[in-house]
């Protein structure tokens, strides 16, 4: 679970471990929290490594520092959770580590032009269907989506293909849930999908907006890592009800 998103003070408890599971139907958040941990720590690891490179550290040292920062911050977060109602989750720490490691591997293999990861907010806010009076522990993940992206520009450039505006698209595999953790169990959904969207990282670079200025750097931090609402369209498969939904932006319910 992710206690960092809650501003209210949580009661202190003796240190304890929670077995949350992974992406199963009956888990706390249907795996959305695990996707969030993975993607968040790819972003942390990547951006910390980028920052160290800007500060003059070697590429390999920057990658190591980025991974180390991601791992240590994830560990500290879980130790903190171990003393509140969430509990220390080995699953969360595993996803934090895998996310930081994925970012490090992408930079080590110099495939940043091909592979990326983002998190997104789905609008308009749909919320959960038939939310019971007790909201439970943790936030509702119904309006969040997580993506693993393939930059088509990177593919075409490596193949020396001139494809015009098609270079400004990316192909994404997505994950999101509906009604977790507090919606009516029979209406909850775990949606895995695919979509085509605008590649703002490539658009910015081709416009000459790069990370060599403070404002360009800031724009890339936002647009490289966060999925802009209404700039992607695709289909999602609800694993809970064996139904497809789409085309859409990931904000629909398959079970009607």
């Amino acid at each position: 679970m992710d206690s960092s998103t809650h501003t209210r003070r949580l009661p202190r408890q003796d240190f304890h471990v929670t077995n949350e599971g992974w992406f199963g139907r009956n888990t706390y958040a249907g795996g959305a929290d695990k996707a969030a941990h993975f993607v968040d720590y790819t972003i942390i690891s990547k951006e910390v490594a980028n920052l160290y490179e800007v500060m003059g550290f070697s590429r390999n040292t920057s990658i190591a520092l980025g991974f180390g920062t991601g791992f240590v911050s994830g560990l500290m977060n879980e130790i903190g959770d171990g003393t509140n109602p969430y509990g220390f989750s080995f699953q969360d720490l595993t996803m934090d580590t895998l996310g930081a490691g994925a970012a490090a591997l992408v930079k080590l293999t110099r495939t940043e032009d091909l592979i990326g990861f983002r998190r997104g907010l789905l609008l308009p806010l749909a919320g959960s269907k038939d939310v019971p009076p007790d909201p439970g522990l943790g936030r509702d993940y119904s309006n969040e989506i997580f993506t693993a992206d393939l930059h088509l520009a990177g593919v075409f450039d490596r193949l020396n293909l001139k494809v015009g505006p098609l270079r400004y698209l990316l192909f994404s595999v997505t994950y999101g849930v509906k009604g977790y953790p507090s919606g009516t169990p029979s209406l909850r959904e775990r949606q895995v999908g695919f979509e085509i969207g605008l590649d703002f990282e490539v658009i910015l670079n081709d416009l000459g907006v790069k990370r060599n200025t403070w404002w360009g750097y800031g724009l890339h931090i936002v647009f490289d890592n966060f999925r802009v609402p209404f700039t992607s369209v695709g289909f999602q498969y609800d694993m809970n009800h064996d139904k497809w939904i789409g085309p859409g932006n990931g904000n629909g319910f398959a079970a009607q």
Side-chain angles (χ1 to χ4, degrees):
M1 297 185 191
D2 186 0
S3 64
S4 62
T5 60
H6 298 271
T7 57
R8 63 185 175 86
R9 186 175 180 85
L10 295 170
R12 303 289 293 181
Q13 297 184 1
D14 291 338
F15 185 86
H16 61 288
V17 174
T18 300
N19 181 10
E20 294 181 346
W22 298 97
F23 290 84
R25 179 172 186 166
N26 297 319
T27 55
Y28 150 70
D33 57 326
K34 303 300 174 281
H37 276 271
F38 180 88
V39 171
D40 287 349
Y41 281 86
T42 64
I43 296 172
I44 291 171
S45 177
K46 179 184 75 172
E47 293 301 341
V48 169
N50 287 339
L51 182 59
Y52 274 112
E53 276 198 273
V54 170
M55 295 168 60
F57 288 82
S58 71
R59 182 179 179 86
N60 287 344
T61 298
S62 298
I63 292 171
L65 290 170
F67 173 79
T69 300
F71 174 76
V72 171
S73 60
L75 177 61
M76 293 299 100
N77 184 63
E78 289 309 313
I79 291 175
D81 280 353
T83 61
N84 64 43
Y86 292 102
F88 183 103
S89 168
F90 285 108
Q91 292 93 342
D92 284 351
L93 182 59
T94 297
M95 297 306 290
D96 297 341
T97 306
L98 289 175
L105 181 61
V106 168
K107 287 188 70 68
L108 279 171
T109 56
R110 299 182 183 274
T111 52
E112 301 102 312
D113 62 321
L114 294 176
I115 301 169
F117 302 91
R118 295 173 300 155
R119 64 151 48 241
L121 176 67
L122 295 171
L123 298 173
L125 298 178
S128 300
K129 279 190 167 184
D130 301 330
V131 177
D134 180 10
L137 184 64
R139 71 175 187 269
D140 189 324
Y141 284 89
S142 296
N143 298 302
E144 299 181 36
I145 192 168
F146 307 94
T147 74
D149 307 312
L150 175 66
H151 297 278
L152 297 186
V155 176
F156 296 138
D157 288 347
R158 286 170 180 249
L159 295 175
N160 293 317
L161 296 176
K162 304 299 182 182
V163 295
L166 288 178
R167 68 180 277 102
Y168 299 122
L169 298 177
L170 47 75
F171 174 81
S172 303
V173 176
T174 68
Y175 192 79
V177 300
K178 298 290 181 288
Y180 284 91
S182 55
T184 301
S186 63
L187 297 177
R188 293 176 182 172
E189 302 184 13
R190 294 172 298 141
Q191 297 180 352
V192 59
F194 61 89
E195 65 183 23
I196 295 289
L198 293 178
D199 194 334
F200 287 99
E201 180 177 354
V202 174
I203 292 172
L204 287 173
N205 284 331
D206 282 4
L207 288 174
V209 180
K210 300 184 179 182
R211 290 184 179 234
N212 55 1
T213 63
W214 68 266
W215 56 274
Y217 199 100
L219 286 174
H220 273 284
I221 287 178
V222 174
F223 286 102
D224 294 4
N225 299 313
F226 298 96
R227 177 185 180 272
V228 179
F230 306 115
T231 62
S232 303
V233 62
F235 294 83
Q236 296 80 38
Y237 177 71
D238 172 22
M239 294 184 289
N240 287 6
H241 300 94
D242 297 324
K243 291 184 179 180
W244 283 94
I245 184 172
N249 74 337
N251 208 23
F253 287 81
Q256 301 293 338

